[in-house]
Amino acid sequence: MAGSRNPGRGRLRVYLGAAPGVGKTYAMLDEAHRRAARGTDVVVGLVETHGRVHTANLLGGLEIVQPRAVAYRDRTFPELDLDALLARRPQVALVDELAHTNIPGSRHEKRWQDVEELLDAGIDVLSTVNVQHLESLNDVVEAITGVAQRETVPDEVVRRADQVELVDMAPEALRRRMAHGNVYDPGKIDAALGNYFRIGNLTALRELALLWMAGKVDEQLDTYRAEHGISRRWETRERVVVALTGGSEGETLIRRGARIATRAGGELLAVHVTRSDGLISASAQTLQQQRELVESLGGSYHQVIGHSIAAALLAFARGENASQLVLGASRRSWLGTVLGGRGVAAEVIRSSGKIDVHMIPHDRAGRTYHGLPELTGGLTPRRRIIGAALAAVGLPALTVALTRLRGDVDLAGDLLLYLTMIVNVAVVGGLYPALFAAVGASLLADWFFTDPPHTLYMRNTENILALGVFVVVATAVSVIVDIAARRTRDAARARAEADTLSTLSGSLVAGQDAVSAVLDRVRETFGMTSATLLERQDTGLSRAGDTWVVVGVSGPDPCPTPQAADTEIPIRADLHLALRGRVVAGSDRSVLTAFAAQAAVALDRHRLAAQAADAADLAETDRTRTALLGAVSHDLRSPLASAKAAVSSLRASDVFWTRQEQTDLLATADESLDRLTRLVENLLDMSRLQAGALAVSRQRVGLDEIVPRALDELGPAGHSIEVDLPETLPEVNADPPLLERVIANLVANAVRHSPAGQPPLITASALGDRVELRVIDRGRGIPEADHERVFAPFQRLGDRDNTTGVGLGLALSRGLTEAMDGQLTPEETPGGGLTMVLSLPAAPPYTALSDSSDSSDNEV
């Protein structure tokens, strides 16, 4: 977005039109004249007039950088002279036709790439583009007009523009303009009006331009609502939300939602709500396919978690300012509706409010049968084998035991014991061994314990009913136990994944190196030998000759290329995660992909932080250098000029000076040279501080020793200073010469701003393990909002007298103070004025110091 752009980058303004001739270039030139009239340096890089007189007339009065003449296929074409424009470096450059394709051999293939280079150089650019040249609409325009547009510009380039202005014109007005000869030569008018510039074509192109522009405005609106915390829906652009369950009907819903969004000129969003209790899970493969379908149709896919699916769905729709919601007809049967109560669709309709709800029928509506579970179930193969063996051995053994108890146990007791065996088989082996056991147990009970025995025929209807109920109950118990095993496995896996991701987040929050933390967690979690983050270097060669560079590694033996890994996770085209140790199962790849994405984010954040730090250092250095040059240009020259004038006057042979005049001239020269000496010393010390080369030797020192020496350095001005230092004041740990310089600078600044008859006051006190020295004046003071500004180098806040120095005194004082582990802060003096508080660490008692710790040398 424009609001987050690089402050050193130029601004791009694009004039968007529905068709040639609507006045984009005219509007751009008109804006150029307005800016030039305001004093802006405006230069025409390249403007295509296409022989239009009114457009050509607007070029008058504007400076033009002549285009390059480029020969191609026996013809000469004018192209933007990018180097000349960069060398001229205007404030604003006009570059027409953003989608233009440059002549082969040019520096860039497209003109928009030339514009990007101008913007990177800090030059503002005005440009134009027609809607048919936008890459996303190119095929739509061809289908409408029958004319293929070979020159396109990526939509993102125009969307990133700081300002996009739509130049609109009614189709009838544009055709009249063409008929008057204001667009094309007379020989082309009839053909154009009868083909490309038909009313229907122009109307459709105008609608496309308006819709695209609405999308740009919609982005700005979303940003505004987010910044101001606005959650209620605004009746603006249509947004269509499609609710996906993960079933096969999702494709039908997505396509219907896309058609609704297209007709309304709106935006398509698909959302899947995952139950927070994890009891209902959708097919990840189906959802991935539906996600790809949504994105291929120009929509966006989202996934949210909620306890109530209806509430989560509506909360998402309202949060996205959606106007329409597309749901599939319920898959519940009539019996499920009666037993289960109100469904998701009914809840959504009841609570939708101003959101329109579309119920879409599909093939799965009213069907609840999903088929049998997969044969693999929720248990391991070993447990399924054990369950089958238990059924094969346990049922015959139980039957033998029951035959010996014949007469003591009736059929109901036999069936309960068989049911107990089936439950045990289901717990151990899952669904299919339990079903096998249920069928086997029913046959064994019929054969051995019903009348007549040793046949499958039963005379007693009660036995038939009991055996039937037994089979149903046994099957139901088997299914329930198997489902419980599946849910237990899924819950355990989800908990493990959540614990893993929370551990990763904790590592990042705890301040560990982000890339290393992610790779360490990957290696530990998945039991890998090494985890390597590889980045492709752009060599300009084929992919076979790509060079991969290790940008992060955990563990020994890193992978040099993705092909050398046991498991490879592509993060993006130029970044891969390569693992050595084993091949990761497909079920683990989702979590591994999340780790890989975190690694990429961590790498990007690290690089952005480094770039920001470098940029800040460069900006500060450049600002300091600029201020130094501006200040020194006067402040070095002033004392030099004074000393030079005084010495030249004394050496003049044609002028007789009295003794007093000679003394005054010598005093002037001496004072000017002293000022020059102090200025040079301050500049040198400031440069040492910024370069980290100032030597600081801390030792025990008393302020009663340093303050008098600092006042003596000020000469006569220091004799009037009032000093109030308690005799019990502790010594401080500081560098005596540097501390003397700091106090002298602070007192000199206070003297300069103190009114006559009210000299500054110096006091001190102990506060905990620190000693505070206060330099108090009764001058005009400084507003609290400007307290920090006084410490900026070359800042003479409130001074109009440039003879007072370059404004380094307080900046240098703070730098020297911080080099001694001290603090320098300004406070308002009660009754008016400014108090500078110098806080230094108090020296510990002599018994706490060893001989080797009385002084220490440090490089700051």
Side-chain angles (χ1 to χ4, degrees):
M1 296 184 60
S4 59
R5 68 185 187 92
N6 185 343
R9 180 178 165 88
R11 302 178 67 87
L12 174 62
R13 181 171 183 174
V14 176
Y15 292 85
L16 174 68
V22 296
K24 304 181 302 300
T25 305
Y26 193 97
M28 178 180 68
L29 290 169
D30 192 40
E31 174 64 15
H33 278 284
R34 282 197 296 271
R35 296 196 184 192
R38 296 196 299 265
T40 305
D41 183 15
V42 181
V43 168
V44 177
L46 186 67
V47 168
E48 303 281 359
T49 63
H50 299 289
R52 297 163 192 166
V53 177
H54 299 295
T55 303
N57 289 340
L58 275 181
L59 286 172
L62 295 175
E63 180 182 348
I64 301 175
V65 172
Q66 293 302 318
R68 296 183 302 116
V70 181
Y72 181 68
R73 292 184 180 179
D74 300 327
R75 293 181 59 187
T76 301
F77 298 88
E79 287 287 4
L80 176 69
D81 194 338
L82 183 58
D83 291 328
L85 201 54
L86 289 170
R88 171 61 178 77
R89 199 175 183 81
Q91 290 177 278
V92 179
L94 275 63
V95 181
D96 207 2
E97 296 189 358
L98 193 62
H100 171 76
T101 301
N102 294 330
I103 298 297
S106 301
R107 182 187 308 177
H108 299 125
E109 180 185 359
K110 295 286 189 176
R111 185 168 291 169
W112 66 263
Q113 294 171 318
D114 295 336
V115 169
E116 286 290 325
E117 188 168 345
L118 293 173
L119 295 173
D120 289 338
I123 300 173
D124 294 349
V125 177
L126 306 181
S127 189
T128 64
V129 70
N130 282 327
V131 70
Q132 67 264 30
H133 296 302
L134 295 174
E135 197 165 275
S136 65
L137 300 177
N138 183 258
D139 56 340
V140 179
V141 173
E142 182 179 356
I144 294 172
T145 64
V147 178
Q149 302 292 336
R150 296 182 179 85
E151 296 184 330
T152 61
V153 59
D155 290 47
E156 186 60 25
V157 173
V158 185
R159 288 193 184 277
R160 284 201 311 264
D162 299 273
Q163 190 173 349
V164 179
E165 182 172 328
L166 179 65
V167 182
D168 188 30
M169 177 174 285
E172 296 81 1
L174 179 56
R175 285 170 60 86
R176 284 196 300 271
R177 177 180 286 185
M178 289 194 62
H180 294 156
N182 294 330
V183 178
Y184 289 150
D185 294 335
K188 300 179 181 179
I189 293 177
D190 291 337
L193 290 175
N195 292 283
Y196 192 92
F197 287 83
R198 289 178 294 182
I199 288 288
N201 289 353
L202 295 178
T203 302
L205 293 175
R206 188 187 187 196
E207 182 181 20
L208 287 176
L210 291 170
L211 290 175
W212 192 95
M213 192 64 190
K216 171 72 174 177
V217 174
D218 200 55
E219 292 177 359
Q220 298 172 337
L221 177 61
D222 286 346
T223 302
Y224 178 85
R225 294 177 74 236
E227 291 175 349
H228 291 78
I230 300 173
S231 58
R232 67 181 185 278
R233 198 177 83 79
W234 284 7
E235 297 287 344
T236 54
R237 185 185 182 188
E238 295 285 344
R239 273 195 173 93
V240 181
V241 173
V242 177
L244 301 177
T245 64
S248 58
E249 76 280 0
E251 294 188 5
T252 302
L253 303 183
I254 291 170
R255 290 190 171 90
R256 179 63 65 87
R259 289 195 293 272
I260 295 173
T262 301
R263 286 196 299 268
E267 181 180 354
L268 174 66
L269 301 93
V271 59
H272 171 69
V273 179
T274 301
R275 283 278 295 269
S276 58
D277 55 16
L279 295 180
I280 300 178
S281 59
S283 169
Q285 183 178 1
T286 302
L287 286 174
Q288 179 60 29
Q289 293 172 350
Q290 292 173 2
R291 176 176 189 161
E292 294 173 357
L293 176 60
V294 170
E295 293 174 349
S296 69
L297 294 173
S300 58
Y301 176 86
H302 308 267
Q303 191 159 348
V304 297
I305 298 175
H307 178 70
S308 169
I309 295 178
L313 189 58
L314 288 172
F316 173 82
R318 293 189 178 103
E320 294 294 331
N321 200 30
S323 56
Q324 303 189 57
L325 187 57
V326 177
L327 296 173
S330 176
R331 292 190 291 178
R332 289 186 175 188
S333 64
W334 65 270
L335 181 60
T337 302
V338 171
L339 297 178
R342 193 192 305 268
V344 172
E347 289 289 341
V348 169
I349 293 173
R350 185 174 66 88
S351 307
S352 60
K354 294 183 178 180
I355 300 177
D356 299 335
V357 180
H358 301 266
M359 296 295 299
I360 308 300
H362 53 85
D363 295 339
R364 307 276 308 174
R367 296 175 57 188
T368 57
Y369 174 72
H370 299 288
L372 287 173
E374 296 179 4
L375 185 60
T376 56
L379 303 174
T380 63
R382 182 173 178 271
R383 286 188 60 177
R384 292 196 302 273
I385 293 173
I386 295 175
L390 178 62
V393 175
L395 289 178
L398 179 60
T399 302
V400 171
L402 290 176
T403 55
R404 294 181 179 181
L405 296 174
R406 190 187 303 273
D408 296 330
V409 180
D410 60 3
L411 179 62
D414 295 337
L415 294 181
L416 286 176
L417 291 173
Y418 275 122
L419 183 59
T420 302
M421 176 61 68
I422 293 169
V423 170
N424 291 330
V425 172
V427 170
V428 174
L431 176 61
Y432 287 97
L435 291 178
F436 167 74
V439 174
S442 64
L443 293 176
L444 290 172
D446 185 13
W447 183 268
F448 288 102
F449 305 110
T450 62
D451 189 34
H454 306 301
T455 66
L456 296 178
Y457 174 73
M458 289 180 288
R459 294 194 186 99
N460 194 337
T461 57
E462 291 181 359
N463 292 343
I464 297 174
L465 179 61
L467 204 57
V469 171
F470 167 76
V471 173
V472 171
V473 171
T475 302
V477 169
S478 302
V479 171
I480 291 172
V481 170
D482 185 75
I483 290 175
R486 290 169 181 270
R487 298 307 179 206
T488 301
R489 180 202 61 180
D490 294 342
R493 180 173 184 82
R495 180 173 180 177
E497 292 178 356
D499 289 343
T500 301
L501 294 176
S502 65
T503 301
L504 171 63
S505 301
S507 300
L508 299 180
V509 172
Q512 298 183 22
D513 178 68
V515 178
S516 298
V518 173
L519 296 180
D520 288 343
R521 295 291 86 75
V522 169
R523 186 171 59 85
E524 295 168 2
T525 301
F526 296 95
M528 293 296 174
T529 305
S530 68
T532 310
L533 195 61
L534 296 170
E535 186 174 37
R536 176 188 285 118
Q537 297 297 304
D538 186 7
T539 59
L541 304 175
S542 64
R543 286 294 173 92
D546 282 341
T547 300
W548 292 89
V549 176
V550 176
V551 293
V553 65
S554 175
D557 193 21
C559 297
T561 63
Q563 293 76 17
D566 294 317
T567 300
E568 174 199 359
I569 300 295
I571 304 173
R572 51 182 187 243
D574 61 338
L575 197 64
H576 287 225
L577 178 63
L579 305 177
R580 271 186 175 167
R582 65 182 178 87
V583 177
V584 176
S587 58
D588 291 332
R589 291 184 72 90
S590 60
V591 178
L592 188 55
T593 301
F595 272 92
Q598 286 282 358
V601 171
L603 179 64
D604 292 341
R605 286 176 57 188
H606 174 74
R607 289 178 172 174
L608 288 174
Q611 292 174 3
D614 292 343
D617 291 342
L618 290 174
E620 178 62 22
T621 301
D622 186 64
R623 188 192 66 81
T624 303
R625 183 183 298 111
T626 302
L628 173 63
L629 292 175
V632 168
S633 63
H634 176 277
D635 293 292
L636 279 178
R637 187 167 58 247
S638 178
L640 284 174
S642 299
K644 173 68 175 175
V647 173
S648 297
S649 299
L650 289 172
R651 294 187 60 192
S653 57
D654 55 344
V655 179
F656 175 77
W657 303 102
T658 65
R659 175 65 63 179
Q660 183 60 42
E661 290 173 336
Q662 290 177 358
T663 301
D664 291 342
L665 288 173
L666 287 173
T668 299
D670 184 56
E671 181 183 351
S672 298
L673 291 175
D674 286 341
R675 285 173 49 206
L676 183 60
T677 300
R678 288 194 297 269
L679 173 60
V680 172
E681 288 177 350
N682 285 342
L683 289 172
L684 289 175
D685 285 343
M686 180 59 72
S687 66
R688 291 192 190 102
L689 273 174
Q690 293 181 341
L694 182 67
V696 179
S697 178
R698 299 184 187 89
Q699 56 184 281
R700 304 174 64 94
V701 63
L703 290 179
D704 55 349
E705 301 175 13
I706 299 298
V707 171
R709 295 208 300 260
L711 298 181
D712 289 340
E713 185 180 334
L714 298 178
H719 298 161
S720 60
I721 307 299
E722 297 182 18
V723 180
D724 182 13
L725 298 178
E727 295 181 358
T728 58
L729 193 67
E731 293 179 320
V732 297
N733 268 339
D735 185 306
L738 296 185
L739 180 57
E740 185 179 329
R741 290 281 305 282
V742 171
I743 296 175
N745 281 340
L746 296 179
V747 174
N749 186 71
V751 169
R752 188 162 54 247
H753 294 91
S754 294
Q758 293 184 337
L761 170 66
I762 299 177
T763 66
S765 61
L767 183 62
D769 60 349
R770 303 188 73 82
V771 175
E772 292 185 347
L773 178 78
R774 282 177 162 78
V775 180
I776 306 169
D777 69 61
R778 295 290 180 178
R780 293 177 300 172
I782 299 174
E784 186 176 356
D786 293 331
H787 277 182
E788 286 302 312
R789 289 179 57 197
V790 300
F791 296 108
F794 318 110
Q795 173 69 257
R796 288 188 292 265
L797 196 62
D799 287 347
R800 292 182 173 83
D801 178 14
N802 283 340
T803 65
T804 57
V806 295
L808 272 178
L810 291 179
L812 180 60
S813 297
R814 171 171 275 191
L816 296 177
T817 300
E818 292 175 350
M820 296 183 291
D821 294 332
Q823 298 173 357
L824 182 61
T825 55
E827 295 179 356
E828 293 184 11
T829 301
L834 181 69
T835 298
M836 299 301 297
V837 182
L838 173 63
S839 175
L840 294 168
Y846 278 103
T847 56
L849 290 173
S850 64
D851 295 337
S852 61
S853 61
D854 284 345
S855 63
S856 60
D857 292 334
N858 300 283
E859 289 292 329
V860 178

